[in-house]
């Protein structure tokens, strides 16, 4: 009998055990990490474009990079990852029923004084045979965002937005508002 055979099994169990102890905590942490990657990659592209070509160039970058980053991260993780909002710029980002309810809850809690950066929500949702771990984290509106999501937009920006987003609703935000949320679905 070769006793070495037992060793990989023991290792495998040791590796799996902590994950099984609290799988929801693991899923939350992994979701937060993916969101962090999404946010910092997009912010990097945005800042670079603003510095190089000003806000109109940045609109172009947002329009192309945001969906690309979401698609890349979704492919990498096997989850569905995106951004959504109650007041949309890109109609492709429309919330489903569950997301809409969570966005409304975020707005209500923000109105009670909870900082937007502290708002997140998860739930295990069952739909027929399917079980999904769903996670959302609010996206706070910061100073930088107001150039394109604030109340007073420059003529140039307004013009560019009208061209690409004729039904844009994503303006009129103030510093600290919930602009929208990152949203993740992990099929279980
Ligand atoms: C240079 C202009 C510009 C700036 C600055 C900007 N955005 Fe946007 N934002 C856009 C454009 C364009 C879209 C649509 C992207 C797309 O087509 O997916 C968008 C879409 C979004 C969406 C997706 C929901 C929707 O309405 O379609 C969120 C959330 C968002 N922006 C948040 C922010 C936040 C938070 C900041 C500040 C950190 C920010 N944006 C800064 C132009 C901008």
């Amino acid at each position: 009998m070769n006793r070495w055979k037992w060793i990989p099994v023991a290792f495998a169990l040791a590796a799996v055990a902590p994950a099984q102890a609290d799988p929801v905590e693991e899923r939350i942490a992994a979701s937060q990490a993916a969101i962090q990657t999404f946010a910092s990659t997009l912010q990097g592209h945005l800042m670079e474009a603003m510095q190089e070509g000003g806000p109109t160039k940045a609109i172009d970058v947002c329009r192309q990079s945001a969906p690309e980053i979401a698609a890349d991260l979704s492919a990498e993780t096997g989850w569905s990852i995106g951004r959504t909002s109650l007041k949309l710029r890109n109609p492709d980002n429309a919330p489903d029923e569950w997301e809409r309810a969570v966005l409304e809850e975020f707005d209500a809690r923000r109105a009670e004084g909870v900082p937007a950066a502290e708002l997140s929500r998860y739930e295990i949702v069952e739909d027929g045979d399917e079980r999904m771990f769903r996670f959302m984290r609010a996206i706070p509106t910061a100073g930088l965002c107001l150039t394109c999501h604030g109340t007073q937009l420059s003529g140039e920006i307004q013009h560019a937005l009208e061209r690409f987003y004729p039904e844009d609703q994503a303006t009129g935000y103030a510093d600290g508002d919930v602009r929208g949320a990152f949203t993740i679905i992990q099929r279980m």
Side-chain angles (χ1 to χ4, degrees):
M1 235 335 237
N2 181 354
R3 69 187 186 94
W4 288 103
K5 270 194 184 141
W6 295 100
I7 289 170
V9 175
F11 274 131
L13 283 178
V16 165
Q20 280 176 341
D22 203 342
V24 165
E25 287 301 318
E26 296 268 318
R27 286 182 190 275
I28 293 171
S31 300
Q32 292 280 23
I35 287 170
Q36 212 46 55
T37 305
F38 194 157
S40 56
T41 311
L42 184 57
Q43 184 125 345
H45 287 227
L46 191 62
M47 303 278 266
E48 203 182 318
M50 293 274 256
Q51 272 157 17
E52 278 174 14
T56 26
K57 163 92 177 141
I59 289 177
D60 240 26
V61 166
C62 251
R63 197 165 65 86
Q64 281 163 9
S65 305
E68 258 170 38
I69 298 167
D72 286 352
L73 270 176
S74 299
E76 218 172 278
T77 54
W79 309 333
S80 149
I81 302 183
R83 296 187 305 168
T84 187
S85 177
L86 290 173
K87 292 202 298 168
L88 290 167
R89 177 148 293 165
N90 182 343
D92 292 349
N93 296 326
D96 66 16
E97 218 175 301
W98 187 83
E99 288 166 332
R100 176 172 296 279
V102 173
L103 286 165
E104 281 166 0
E105 176 197 310
F106 285 171
D107 273 353
R109 290 179 60 199
R110 176 73 200 99
E112 286 163 8
V114 182
E118 289 173 17
L119 295 169
S120 68
R121 178 93 154 84
Y122 78 87
E123 195 174 322
I124 291 167
V125 178
E126 307 208 4
D127 183 9
D129 291 344
E130 249 189 341
R131 281 184 89 220
M132 293 173 281
F133 170 86
R134 303 199 63 167
F135 184 82
M136 280 172 75
R137 189 172 105 189
I139 304 175
T141 310
L144 163 75
C145 321
L146 299 180
T147 320
C148 300
H149 295 292
T151 321
Q152 281 171 320
L153 308 187
S154 76
E156 199 189 354
I157 293 205
Q158 241 167 353
H159 183 73
L161 288 176
E162 271 162 23
R163 191 163 143 231
F164 294 116
Y165 305 98
E167 289 171 35
D168 186 20
Q169 296 181 304
T171 55
Y173 286 92
D175 202 351
D177 284 350
V178 174
R179 167 63 190 92
F182 291 103
T183 178
I184 291 186
I185 300 177
Q186 302 180 21
R187 284 173 211 292
M188 301 174 83

